Amino acid sequence: MASLLGLVLPLMGLVAALFTRGVNGTFYAQPWQMAHATFYGDETASETMGGACGYGNLFQNGYGTATAALSSVLFNNGYACGECFQIKCYGSPNCYKGYPFTKITATNLCPPNWSQDSNNGGWCNPPRQHFDMSKPAFMQIANWKAGIVPVMYRRVPCAKAGGLKFRFEGNGYWLLVYVMNVSGAGDIASMSVKGSKTQWIKMSHNWGASYQAFATLGGQSLSFMVTSYTTHETVTAYNVAPANWQTGMTYSSSVNFN
C-alpha cells in the first residue's frame, strides 16, 4: 500500500500541475471556488488608482476599472499581482439574474482589519478569501447596495494586448522596475536584468510587481529575463530600454507569456 501511495500521490501532483499550466507552459482556467466580494471607491474608480502592486494610473496602463484588491491570503505577498479572475455573484438575492460574471485583474492589497470581526467588517482578515472590487466591476455582478455578496471565482488566463511593459524608478545605482501588461498567468516570480556591459544580474523582489537591482546600469541598454510565478515559463525581452533610459519612463517589449 505504501508503495502504491508513493506512486499515486506524485501522479496526482503532476496532473494538477498540467491542469494549471499545460504541457507547453500555457496557462489554463482553474476550477471555481467560493469567496466573498465587496467594493471600494465610487463609479469613477478613481480611488482604485495606484495600489500595492505599483501599476500607477490604471487607466493609462491598460487595466481600467476591471480591477480588485485581494485579501492577504490571495495576495500572496505580492506574487498574485497581475493575476486575472472571473468572478460571479452566487447564492444571494442581490445577485443579478443569470449570474453574469466579470473578469478582473489583481492590482491591490485589501489589508486585514483586526479591529473588526472577520464576519462583520474584517472581510479581508486571514484566512478569508476575499475580493475588494472596484465599484464598476462589482456593479456588473450584483446590486451595489448589498455591500458584500458571496461569489464564485476562478483564475483565468490574462489576455493583454502587446508585450510586457517595464516602468523604471530608482537611479543609476539602484534600478526598481515595475512589470505590467503581463499575459498568460499574469504573475511574476523572478527577474534578471542585463546591461550592454554586464552579465545577467538577478533582481530581488521589492513588493507587489516590482523588482530591484543594486547595480550601476546607467548608460547601458537593458534587457530583462522574466519568469512566471504560476507556470515557471521564462521569456527574455532583449534591448527593452536604450542606453539613455530614464527613471519615471515606461518601456515596452515585443514579448509576452502564452
Side-chain angles (χ1 to χ4, degrees):
M1 179 63 72
S3 60
L4 179 60
L5 286 175
L7 175 64
V8 170
L9 291 177
L11 286 175
M12 290 176 63
L14 176 61
V15 170
L18 292 177
F19 182 81
T20 299
R21 61 179 184 266
V23 295
N24 61 351
T26 302
F27 179 73
Y28 296 106
Q30 296 184 312
W32 290 96
Q33 300 183 62
M34 297 298 299
H36 284 80
T38 50
F39 67 88
Y40 67 115
D42 59 19
E43 287 85 348
T44 68
S46 59
E47 293 183 31
T48 68
M49 295 300 103
C53 291
Y55 294 139
N57 188 308
L58 300 179
F59 293 112
Q60 293 179 358
N61 292 319
Y63 296 97
T65 62
T67 64
L70 308 186
S71 62
S72 55
V73 171
L74 292 173
F75 191 69
N76 191 23
N77 292 320
Y79 288 109
C81 285
E83 292 179 353
C84 297
F85 298 85
Q86 284 181 340
I87 302 176
K88 58 183 177 181
C89 182
Y90 185 79
S92 168
N94 293 291
C95 299
Y96 289 145
K97 293 181 179 179
Y99 298 107
F101 62 78
T102 187
K103 183 177 179 180
I104 60 90
T105 302
T107 60
N108 202 358
L109 167 68
C110 180
N113 183 356
W114 301 115
S115 66
Q116 300 289 331
D117 185 89
S118 296
N119 295 310
N120 186 22
W123 310 122
C124 291
N125 295 351
R128 291 183 66 103
Q129 299 185 91
H130 191 88
F131 296 86
D132 199 11
M133 305 170 67
S134 72
K135 190 173 183 180
F138 186 91
M139 291 172 64
Q140 292 186 29
I141 62 172
N143 186 334
W144 67 270
K145 294 182 179 179
I148 180 171
V149 293
V151 297
M152 295 185 70
Y153 78 94
R154 64 174 180 170
R155 285 268 314 274
V156 293
C158 297
K160 305 294 185 183
L164 297 171
K165 296 182 179 179
F166 304 85
R167 191 176 86 246
F168 287 14
E169 301 294 345
N171 52 54
Y173 309 96
W174 169 61
L175 180 63
L176 180 66
V177 179
Y178 293 88
V179 189
M180 302 178 292
N181 201 55
V182 184
S183 62
D187 49 23
I188 301 297
S190 61
M191 280 183 62
S192 295
V193 59
K194 183 183 184 306
S196 53
K197 301 176 183 177
T198 74
Q199 299 300 313
W200 284 105
I201 300 170
K202 180 77 172 179
M203 304 178 76
S204 59
H205 185 215
N206 184 284
W207 180 248
S210 68
Y211 288 79
Q212 61 191 2
F214 294 93
T216 304
L217 294 168
Q220 302 181 59
S221 59
L222 301 181
S223 302
F224 294 95
M225 189 181 298
V226 184
T227 300
S228 166
Y229 186 88
T230 298
T231 68
H232 313 303
E233 178 188 4
T234 297
V235 296
T236 303
Y238 290 103
N239 300 316
V240 171
N244 63 344
W245 61 264
Q246 298 178 7
T247 58
M249 298 292 292
T250 298
Y251 298 93
S252 299
S253 71
S254 60
V255 301
N256 215 322
F257 292 96
N258 294 323

